[in-house]
Amino acid sequence: YSGPDTTAATVAGSCTDVAGESNSATSTPFHYEASAPTITVRPARPPDDGGWYNHAVAATVSGTSFSGIASCTGTTYSGPDTSDATVSGTCLDNAGKSVSGTSSAFGFDDSAPLHSVTADPADQSVALHWSLSAFDSPVAIEITRTPMPAGQSVLVYHGTGVAFTDRHLRNGVRYLYTLLATDQAGNVSRESLTVKPGPRLLGPDAGALVTAPPLLSWTPVGGASYYNVQLYRRGKQILSGWPTRAAFRLKRSGHTLKGAAV
């Protein structure tokens, strides 16, 4: 017997003896299945946000077979982030035949979009910079500013950039900045930091190695009639000057400038 699939297959035969007498017989019916089972594999639930999955998703696996499906097993996808994730599965039918399959590709992203935030306070301004997960794009950023200790929060930035400079601030006031980042898959990150703007040294640049007496310059303070410039080396004051403008030219002396802090 070689088909078709049935639950009542039979085989028949006949015998002839040496006297020329013959007889025929048919077997008891039996089950026969030669066709392969089929399988369907798909994620067990709809996407979490924006067509993306942002936490582990299992496979739903089903199969069909003439003899019936004995069992099905499936995988679970939990990373890494990709736009081509899949889940797979295997089914075994009652005739002992197995079949495997894979779902269509889907997007998976469970990473926090916001990695780090830094702030650079300056005169009446604060420059904020942040880095994002390499996979997340675009990421919506919202920044709120709150004067401390108790002020009203204001939304100062909404966009998809990686930097923002907040201007027209009050020097000497502490501001709480809160960054809320939401990526394409609905993952959310929140970071906060407190910054106090104020006058800053403009030159020489931080970390610069000077080989001659430099010109110190800084952001002017409104209404100031003079400034006090102090130079320290290894915690010891080696110079104090009283310029009337926001600049001061150091003079050559017996002190080396390398390693000094202003």
Side-chain angles (χ1 to χ4, degrees):
Y1 189 88
S2 60
D5 296 344
T6 180
T7 58
T10 59
V11 288
S14 63
C15 291
T16 302
D17 63 16
V18 295
E21 297 171 330
S22 64
N23 198 1
S24 299
T26 300
S27 70
T28 304
F30 56 86
H31 295 176
Y32 181 89
E33 180 186 62
S35 61
T38 62
I39 190 171
T40 300
V41 184
R42 61 181 183 276
R45 67 173 193 279
D48 297 305
D49 198 291
W52 290 75
Y53 292 90
N54 59 29
H55 61 284
V57 56
T60 291
V61 185
S62 60
T64 59
S65 174
F66 182 81
S67 62
I69 296 297
S71 64
C72 290
T73 58
T75 62
T76 296
Y77 193 89
S78 57
D81 296 345
T82 178
S83 58
D84 296 312
T86 59
V87 286
S88 58
T90 300
C91 288
L92 180 68
D93 70 11
N94 289 319
K97 302 189 301 298
S98 64
V99 61
S100 297
T102 301
S103 71
S104 299
F106 54 85
F108 182 91
D109 176 8
D110 69 347
S111 298
L114 191 62
H115 280 188
S116 63
V117 182
T118 59
D120 183 17
D123 185 31
Q124 297 183 346
S125 69
V126 171
L128 298 172
H129 303 269
W130 54 90
S131 61
L132 305 172
S133 167
F135 186 77
D136 294 319
S137 179
V139 176
I141 303 293
E142 289 187 355
I143 303 177
T144 57
R145 180 191 67 218
T146 307
M148 301 297 286
Q152 183 175 1
S153 297
V154 178
L155 179 67
V156 294
Y157 177 82
H158 179 80
T160 58
V162 293
F164 167 69
T165 299
D166 195 14
R167 307 182 189 279
H168 309 298
L169 303 174
R170 293 179 59 189
N171 286 338
V173 175
R174 291 188 304 117
Y175 293 94
L176 173 66
Y177 287 92
T178 300
L179 282 79
L180 183 69
T182 306
D183 69 13
Q184 58 190 344
N187 299 300
V188 177
S189 294
R190 186 188 301 270
E191 295 286 344
S192 297
L193 68 169
T194 302
V195 190
K196 182 167 67 174
R200 292 292 186 275
L201 186 68
L202 301 178
D205 293 334
L209 177 62
V210 295
T211 58
L215 174 65
L216 305 180
S217 61
W218 55 90
T219 52
V221 177
S225 58
Y226 62 89
Y227 302 90
N228 179 227
V229 177
Q230 299 179 24
L231 184 66
Y232 289 83
R233 181 172 181 230
R234 297 192 182 97
K236 181 180 179 181
Q237 187 183 91
I238 59 175
L239 179 146
S240 179
W242 299 88
T244 57
R245 61 189 186 92
F248 184 73
R249 171 74 72 176
L250 293 180
K251 297 180 180 180
R252 189 176 297 278
S253 68
H255 298 290
T256 177
L257 296 177
K258 183 179 180 180
V262 178

